[in-house]
């Protein structure tokens, strides 16, 4: 299921109904940020939201799942259509849960360990250490999500940006902490080699 196509379809249906993102969000009991995220192709709604979303947009569930309107309204779903729909729903749910687990199990430990290291080694103040930890977590989490989402092209672009931004900020902090420039260049080379290896795999 293509996140960008899904998001564009939701946006088009919402505009046809003359609804704002906030109004749609209120109808289906989510935040307008969640609706904005879906419409920008940066994720899918939770499975429990699909039926209320299709009702709010006045489209059938199969139309929502296929991200295109059917020329004739047919409530009878064939067995194959139903199987495809269930598979798509399960895939969306699995991807969302996996991404959440990756973020939880990488970001928090990286922030804490990196910040503690920076403070205990007297390389940074507490505030600077937490910012450095957040930058490192952004880089590592971006790299993990980039590696685990091989088939999600639009998602990989976003994760790649997170990874590059986090790496750049982390290297800047390391430079400001007085680390050797040659060591930093070696780290950039290793990271670049890792990213290229993942990308061509």
């Amino acid at each position: 299921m293509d996140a960008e196509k899904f998001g564009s379809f939701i946006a088009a249906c919402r505009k046809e109904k003359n609804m704002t993102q906030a109004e749609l969000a209120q109808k289906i009991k989510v935040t307008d940020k969640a609706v904005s995220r879906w419409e920008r192709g940066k994720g899918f709604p939770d499975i429990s939201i699909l039926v209320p979303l299709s009702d709010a947009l006045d489209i059938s569930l199969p139309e929502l799942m296929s991200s295109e309107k059917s020329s004739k309204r047919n409530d009878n779903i064939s067995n194959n259509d139903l199987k495809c729909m269930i598979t798509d729903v399960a895939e969306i749910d699995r991807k969302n849960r996996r991404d959440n687990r990756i973020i939880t199990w990488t970001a928090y430990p990286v922030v804490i360990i990196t910040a503690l290291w920076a403070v205990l080694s007297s390389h940074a103040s507490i505030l600077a250490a937490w910012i450095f930890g957040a930058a490192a977590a952004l880089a590592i989490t971006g790299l993990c999500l980039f590696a685990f989402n091989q088939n999600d092209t639009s998602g990989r672009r976003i994760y790649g940006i997170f990874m590059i931004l986090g790496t750049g900020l982390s290297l800047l902090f390391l430079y400001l902490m007085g680390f050797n420039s040659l060591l930093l260049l070696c780290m950039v080379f290793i990271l670049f080699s890792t990213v290229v290896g993942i990308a061509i795999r």
Side-chain angles (χ1 to χ4, degrees):
M1 198 169 185
D2 187 334
E4 287 183 355
K5 183 183 176 187
F6 183 82
S8 300
F9 180 68
I10 288 176
C13 292
R14 174 181 61 76
K15 287 170 186 171
E16 279 177 19
K17 303 285 288 178
N18 293 318
M19 271 192 287
T20 65
Q21 288 181 342
E23 288 169 339
L24 176 59
Q26 187 177 13
K27 279 190 172 192
I28 60 175
K29 296 178 175 59
V30 296
T31 64
D32 54 346
K33 288 180 183 175
V35 174
S36 171
R37 186 171 169 265
W38 305 334
E39 290 189 359
R40 287 181 286 128
K42 293 189 176 178
F44 294 100
D46 190 78
I47 293 172
S48 61
I49 303 294
L50 294 178
V51 173
L53 181 59
S54 67
D55 289 342
L57 296 173
D58 196 28
I59 55 175
S60 68
L61 198 52
E63 286 174 324
L64 179 63
M65 296 302 298
S66 64
S67 301
E68 55 186 32
K69 287 196 175 182
S70 175
S71 53
K72 54 181 181 178
R73 199 67 178 247
N74 187 3
D75 291 333
N76 297 326
I77 303 170
S78 75
N79 195 34
N80 285 339
D81 288 342
L82 192 56
K83 283 181 183 176
C84 288
M85 200 163 60
I86 291 169
T87 303
D88 282 347
V89 169
E91 180 189 333
I92 291 167
D93 189 48
R94 191 168 48 250
K95 181 185 179 303
N96 284 342
R97 288 177 191 275
R98 187 196 64 206
D99 287 355
N100 288 339
R101 277 196 305 271
I102 290 170
I103 291 167
T104 302
W105 292 104
T106 49
Y108 295 133
V110 168
V111 169
I112 292 166
I113 291 166
T114 310
L116 282 173
W117 169 80
V119 170
L120 294 176
S121 64
S122 302
H123 282 100
S125 66
I126 293 174
L127 178 61
W130 283 115
I131 296 170
F132 172 55
L138 187 64
I140 300 294
T141 305
L143 178 64
C144 291
L145 290 170
F146 186 87
F148 282 106
N149 289 286
Q150 294 290 324
N151 299 325
D152 183 6
T153 335
S154 60
R156 279 170 65 90
R157 275 189 232 118
I158 295 162
Y159 304 141
I161 290 168
F162 287 164
M163 182 175 49
I164 292 165
L165 181 64
T167 303
L169 289 171
S170 297
L171 291 173
L172 176 64
F173 269 96
L174 288 171
Y175 176 76
L176 293 173
M177 288 180 201
F179 278 80
N180 187 323
S181 299
L182 184 59
L183 175 66
L184 296 177
L185 283 173
C186 289
M187 290 170 70
V188 171
F189 177 75
I190 291 167
L191 179 72
F192 179 75
S193 303
T194 306
V195 170
V196 169
I198 291 169
I200 62 174
R201 185 165 52 138

